[in-house]
Amino acid sequence: MSYQLTIESTGQVLDVEDGQTILDAALRAGIYLPHACCHGLCATCKIDVTDGEVDHGAASNFALMDYEREEGKALACCATLESDVTINAEIDDEPDARNLPVHDYSGTVSRIVDLTPTIKGIWIKLDAGQSLDFQAGQYVNLVVPGEAQRRAFSIASAPSARGEIELNIRRVPGGRATAWIHDELKVGDALRFAGPYGRFFVRQTQHVAAQLPYLFLAGGSGLSSPRSMILDLLAQGIRLPITLVNGARSQAELYHHDEFTALAAQHPQFDYVPVLSNEPEDSGWTGARGFVHDAAKAHFSNDFRGRKAYLCGPPLMIDACINTLMQGRLFERDIYTEKFISAADAQQVRSPLFRKL
């Protein structure tokens, strides 16, 4: 059985299947509703139900209080329809967003590489007839056997490689999903995923109009999205300055280093700054030491004006980088983030997972 969902602000009417959430129905129709945790915990996807009845599902009482439910509010990531429903929701108007509809995909693991002791590169070749169209910076939700919730992983490959995607997956201590990927997944295994998801992408119109350089700050497996973005920009022949400050604990954890070094030598507009936070003093490393925000501050002499910055990595790194950028006179309108938050973090962090500040 299906019901109809009407989005008041746009007038769009969607058919919603029994048990399908409002958020899933909207994303599969190419309509972006702001969201983050997708577990009913953060309240980013809060909407107004102006007509009809919904089941609130697993929405927490903290994210959606009793009086809000009585006022007709709901969380789009959890709410399912019990009748035809009309909602009023914030619809982002982003000129550079392609608003690609989400689809289900299947493929085969074509390659697995140990990028670092804790990060694996997983390449998935899509089944015949399938092609994933996505914007650089977006992610997919991977189906993990035995896990009710799908796991979000950013796409590390360029959008031009639509028939095969690369995921860089860090082992999360105690994480069942990443343990399965690191310990059990093999070349030739079949995988299913849905995508593309996310609102983390290059604001190209603004860069070109105002001739704004690109600044990417990444840490750990947070390199995935910036790598996809940078490869895409270089393939387009963009001549504006592009800087990547990439942080890792040690040389062993610094991956795709040779690739970025080669790209910097090949493209004069691209500047690559690797930085290590826990490298032994006697290792012979001659590059920057410290954290990503330290290296960025030193590289730009604490002056970030006239740029747009894209930050991707763990929450503590993102927060430190935001503070440094703002001290260097770059403000919220020019800072975009993608925080890599594990399932264990979801209840502790309020900031959106894949969204601007």
Side-chain angles (χ1 to χ4, degrees):
M1 183 177 182
S2 65
Y3 295 109
Q4 287 193 324
L5 173 69
T6 301
I7 301 177
E8 206 168 73
S9 54
T10 67
Q12 291 165 287
V13 179
L14 313 178
D15 288 326
V16 182
E17 297 300 320
D18 186 33
Q20 185 180 24
T21 66
I22 290 174
L23 178 61
D24 186 64
L27 295 177
R28 288 178 181 274
I31 301 168
Y32 182 81
L33 299 182
H35 60 282
C37 76
C38 294
H39 302 301
L41 300 170
C42 72
T44 304
C45 65
K46 193 173 292 180
I47 57 173
D48 291 304
V49 178
T50 58
D51 188 48
E53 299 295 327
V54 301
D55 181 335
H56 292 287
S60 78
N61 289 329
F62 175 78
L64 188 68
M65 298 184 180
D66 289 341
Y67 77 88
E68 292 181 302
R69 299 173 194 233
E70 293 172 3
E71 290 175 350
K73 296 189 183 300
L75 301 185
C77 74
C78 297
T80 56
L81 306 193
E82 295 188 324
S83 68
D84 290 344
V85 166
T86 300
I87 65 169
N88 189 18
E90 175 190 349
I91 306 293
D92 285 356
D93 182 19
E94 290 276 6
D96 290 296
R98 293 183 57 200
N99 295 319
L100 297 165
V102 169
H103 294 292
D104 294 314
Y105 296 90
S106 57
T108 302
V109 177
S110 56
R111 187 158 49 119
I112 299 177
V113 175
D114 290 328
L115 298 174
T116 80
T118 61
I119 299 173
K120 282 188 181 290
I122 308 294
W123 280 260
I124 305 172
K125 185 174 180 58
L126 274 64
D127 288 346
Q130 296 188 6
S131 176
L132 175 61
D133 188 12
F134 68 96
Q135 280 189 272
Q138 290 191 294
Y139 67 99
V140 298
N141 277 339
L142 187 69
V143 176
V144 176
E147 295 291 308
Q149 296 290 341
R150 299 185 179 196
R151 294 297 192 268
F153 297 109
S154 292
I155 305 170
S157 44
S160 57
R162 295 183 180 183
E164 184 179 53
I165 63 170
E166 176 187 347
L167 306 178
N168 300 157
I169 300 176
R170 180 179 69 89
R171 181 192 289 273
V172 176
R176 288 178 294 182
T178 59
W180 173 77
I181 290 167
H182 275 251
D183 298 334
E184 300 182 39
L185 190 66
K186 304 181 299 299
V187 171
D189 285 352
L191 286 177
R192 294 183 294 118
F193 62 89
Y197 291 95
R199 212 65 165 177
F200 189 59
F201 54 85
V202 173
R203 271 59 180 183
Q204 190 73 317
T205 299
Q206 299 175 44
H207 282 281
V208 173
Q211 293 293 285
L212 301 176
Y214 307 82
L215 172 58
F216 296 94
L217 305 180
S221 60
L223 181 61
S224 301
S225 292
R227 178 176 183 259
S228 179
M229 292 166 153
I230 291 167
L231 292 177
D232 191 38
L233 290 171
L234 294 177
Q236 292 177 44
I238 298 297
R239 305 307 302 171
L240 290 169
I242 303 168
T243 302
L244 168 64
V245 182
N246 179 34
R249 289 178 56 82
S250 64
Q251 289 189 70
E253 292 287 346
L254 187 66
Y255 72 102
H256 288 322
H257 176 66
D258 292 342
E259 175 187 48
F260 285 118
T261 300
L263 287 172
Q266 182 181 353
H267 300 277
Q269 75 274 33
F270 176 52
D271 198 5
Y272 171 52
V273 183
V275 55
L276 304 180
S277 63
N278 198 33
E279 177 72 6
E281 291 295 333
D282 59 354
S283 69
W285 172 255
T286 58
R289 291 176 180 268
F291 296 102
V292 173
H293 62 282
D294 298 323
K297 182 177 181 178
H299 188 76
F300 290 100
S301 301
N302 198 32
D303 186 354
F304 300 101
R305 289 174 294 178
R307 302 176 185 278
K308 278 195 177 293
Y310 301 88
L311 286 53
C312 192
L316 289 177
M317 186 216 94
I318 296 291
D319 293 341
C321 287
I322 290 172
N323 289 335
T324 297
L325 292 174
M326 295 187 76
Q327 290 170 11
R329 302 184 68 182
L330 191 71
F331 302 107
E332 181 176 349
R333 68 178 184 182
D334 293 316
I335 302 174
Y336 300 89
T337 69
E338 180 183 48
K339 290 187 178 182
F340 274 33
I341 301 175
S342 68
D345 297 324
Q347 297 189 52
Q348 303 175 17
V349 182
R350 171 61 182 85
S351 301
L353 290 169
F354 294 91
R355 180 173 159 84
K356 192 175 180 295
L357 304 183

